[in-house]
């Protein structure tokens, strides 16, 4: 009874915001306004068999980027196409303190991609790390917020302390593909051997060129992980 009262009081003082329109959710108890449910563009088949990006033709297996370069991760999946609605939602989630958006993202992710992720049989979830200075600025690591909720939903352990970002990197959007890769690989470190760990799931908020997931994969495999999979909320669409 006390817990329910406390939760009700919190919801009155800090009402949940809609991840699509950013106003107070119009229907109490929901994670998104009912009228905003169609505002996000969820990824649909056909998708790239490597990164999960939506494709234009059924006969395609890989997107343009994945067909041009080797990917060390096994496969990745994405929930939402990164359009203007998704970009605004991610900005609020990442920089605006809207941690509660993660509840909606993960509920939809499990509903739409849960069977695929379960088929990979991951043993452990690891969020993409942020540098401690950026964590202080934002108050949290957005990838960790997603990973913790996904772990609870799938009954999988989450380790946020294994993969760390030791160097504060230049903003990835300011760099080319090769520089992004080098930038990240120099910054990441795995704090202990992962010997015997066969399948790891890396969670992040946005997939653009794949350099972040690729760098995390290499670091984890160098530490002993056998197979690395990826899971993101948003993915950009490159050339077909």
């Amino acid at each position: 009874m006390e817990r329910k009262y406390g939760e009700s009081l919190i919801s009155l003082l800090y009402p949940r915001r809609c991840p699509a329109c950013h106003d107070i959710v119009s229907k109490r108890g929901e994670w998104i306004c009912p009228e905003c449910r169609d505002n996000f563009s969820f990824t649909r088949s056909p998708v790239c068999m490597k990164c999960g990006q939506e494709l234009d033709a059924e006969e395609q297996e890989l997107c343009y980027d994945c067909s041009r370069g080797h990917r060390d991760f096994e496969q990745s999946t994405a929930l939402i196409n990164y359009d203007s609605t998704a970009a605004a939602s991610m900005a609020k989630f990442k920089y605006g303190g809207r941690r509660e958006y993660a509840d909606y993202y993960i509920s939809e992710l499990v509903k739409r991609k849960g069977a695929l992720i379960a088929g990979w049989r991951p043993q452990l979830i690891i969020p993409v790390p942020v540098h401690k200075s950026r964590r202080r600025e934002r108050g949290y690591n957005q990838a960790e917020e997603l990973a913790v909720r996904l772990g609870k939903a799938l009954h999988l352990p989450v380790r946020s302390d294994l993969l760390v970002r030791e160097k504060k990197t230049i903003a990835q959007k300011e760099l080319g593909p090769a520089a992004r890769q080098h930038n990240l690989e120099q910054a990441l470190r795995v704090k202990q051997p992962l010997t015997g760990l066969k399948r790891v799931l890396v969670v992040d908020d946005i997939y653009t060129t794949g350099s972040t997931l690729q760098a995390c994969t290499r670091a984890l495999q160098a530490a002993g992980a056998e197979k690395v999979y990826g899971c993101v909320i948003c993915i950009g669409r490159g050339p077909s």
Side-chain angles (χ1 to χ4, degrees):
M1 180 66 75
E2 288 182 3
R3 182 179 177 182
K4 287 184 178 179
Y5 176 78
E7 290 175 351
S8 298
L9 183 60
I10 289 171
S11 67
L12 286 172
L13 295 174
Y14 305 101
R16 181 178 288 275
R17 296 277 175 167
C18 172
C21 72
H22 315 294
D23 288 333
I24 295 172
V25 175
S26 60
K27 186 176 180 181
R28 188 173 179 180
E30 297 289 332
W31 288 338
I32 188 171
C33 298
E35 58 271 25
C36 292
R37 291 189 184 280
D38 295 331
N39 288 13
F40 288 111
S41 170
F42 294 102
T43 57
R44 296 181 179 181
S45 183
V47 297
C48 174
M49 296 299 292
K50 200 62 162 176
C51 73
Q53 179 187 145
E54 208 172 88
L55 300 174
D56 294 322
E58 288 283 354
E59 60 270 19
Q60 268 185 282
E61 289 190 0
L62 299 174
C63 68
Y64 177 76
D65 285 338
C66 289
S67 67
R68 291 176 69 229
H70 176 71
R71 307 294 201 190
D72 288 296
F73 55 88
E74 295 293 313
Q75 193 177 0
S76 185
T77 189
L79 177 66
I80 299 169
N81 292 309
Y82 193 63
D83 57 13
S84 58
T85 301
S89 186
M90 283 286 112
K92 291 283 188 181
F93 171 57
K94 194 169 182 175
Y95 306 111
R98 296 296 180 197
R99 296 192 202 194
E100 71 266 30
Y101 289 6
D103 293 326
Y104 173 72
Y105 301 148
I106 294 303
S107 69
E108 288 294 326
L109 181 71
V110 171
K111 182 171 71 177
R112 296 168 185 270
K113 310 291 183 178
L116 174 64
I117 297 170
W120 296 338
R121 295 180 296 132
Q123 298 164 287
L124 182 68
I125 296 177
I126 296 179
V128 170
V130 296
H131 189 263
K132 57 185 179 182
S133 63
R134 287 207 168 100
R135 188 183 186 112
R136 283 196 300 268
E137 290 169 7
R138 300 172 190 170
Y140 54 92
N141 173 6
Q142 72 281 354
E144 185 177 3
E145 295 289 322
L146 297 166
V148 168
R149 287 166 174 80
L150 184 60
K152 287 180 180 178
L154 300 181
H155 307 289
L156 290 170
V158 178
R159 290 288 301 272
S160 304
D161 59 327
L162 289 178
L163 183 63
V164 297
R165 193 177 300 225
E166 293 188 317
K167 299 178 181 178
K168 188 174 182 180
T169 52
I170 301 168
Q172 291 290 88
K173 62 185 178 182
E174 298 175 11
L175 302 172
R180 285 181 184 223
Q181 197 68 54
H182 179 76
N183 187 39
L184 280 163
E185 289 182 8
Q186 294 297 307
L188 296 172
R189 181 174 72 88
V190 181
K191 294 177 71 175
Q192 67 184 65
L194 303 178
T195 306
L197 193 61
K198 294 184 180 297
R199 296 174 298 278
V200 178
L201 177 63
V202 174
V203 173
D204 203 5
D205 56 345
I206 303 171
Y207 182 110
T208 49
T209 65
S211 56
T212 299
L213 180 54
Q214 176 71 355
C216 290
T217 298
R218 288 185 177 180
L220 292 166
Q221 288 180 336
E226 292 186 22
K227 293 183 178 181
V228 178
Y229 297 86
C231 177
V232 299
I233 300 304
C234 294
I235 190 165
R237 291 201 66 181
S240 300

